[in-house]
């Protein structure tokens, strides 16, 4: 993976963290520093400099709010409580817009279980777009 691919992956991972923790982060950061950049990350084009600047602004706001490492744009090397990788499963849900690296995996629902509208009973919703996460088998 080249330098551009590595940077893209760092931003995707940061936006995944942002997606998973949007409500709690907004409460900690405050509406003044959150609403504008979040709207740009949610609705903007990830290929633009303005989108990257908005992700950086949210990262800095999270750091200023006391979250060590912000939303993860700067990786620290060393010993720490790092989350383990996900357990591989054959069914899960991914970001519908492709803006982040979020992957949600079911804990106990069988892959063929469905709910209303043929959706899995535990389908997740994207915190950025408000739409359902895309199912992958």
């Amino acid at each position: 993976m080249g330098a551009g691919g590595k940077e893209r992956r760092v931003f995707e991972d940061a936006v995944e963290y942002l997606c998973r923790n949007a409500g709690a982060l907004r409460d900690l950061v405050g509406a003044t520093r959150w609403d504008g950049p979040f709207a740009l990350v949610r609705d903007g084009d990830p290929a633009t400099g303005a989108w990257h600047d908005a992700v950086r602004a949210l990262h800095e706001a999270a750091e200023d709010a006391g979250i060590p490492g912000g939303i993860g744009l700067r990786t620290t090397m060393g010993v720490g409580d790092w989350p383990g990788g996900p357990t591989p499963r054959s069914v899960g849900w991914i970001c519908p817009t492709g803006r982040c690296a979020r992957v949600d995996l079911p804990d106990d629902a069988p892959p063929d279980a469905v709910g209303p509208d043929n959706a899995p009973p535990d389908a997740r919703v994207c915190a950025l777009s408000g739409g359902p996460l895309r199912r992958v088998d």
Side-chain angles (χ1 to χ4, degrees):
M1 181 181 300
K6 189 180 230 179
E7 180 186 16
R8 187 185 80 243
R9 182 66 185 180
V10 168
F11 274 84
E12 285 176 353
D13 289 344
V15 174
E16 173 193 0
Y17 180 81
L18 183 74
C19 181
R20 287 185 184 275
N21 301 288
L25 285 169
R26 186 180 190 277
D27 291 344
L28 286 171
V29 168
T32 305
R33 291 190 69 188
W34 176 266
D35 291 344
F38 181 77
L40 197 94
V41 169
R42 182 189 62 219
D43 301 330
D45 180 358
T48 65
W51 187 86
H52 285 87
D53 290 344
V55 174
R56 285 187 195 99
L58 291 169
H59 171 79
E60 290 169 11
E63 281 186 323
D64 292 346
I67 300 170
I71 62 171
L73 286 184
R74 292 189 237 349
T75 310
T76 359
M77 299 302 285
V79 178
D81 294 327
W82 297 97
T87 304
R89 291 193 175 88
S90 61
V91 175
W93 294 269
I94 60 173
C95 178
T97 64
R99 292 175 189 211
C100 76
R102 179 176 178 180
V103 176
D104 273 359
L105 301 171
D107 292 327
D108 54 8
D112 56 348
V114 293
D117 300 325
N118 215 20
D122 60 347
R124 277 64 164 196
V125 175
C126 176
L128 297 177
S129 71
L133 292 175
R134 191 170 49 128
R135 181 183 169 131
V136 286
D137 293 316

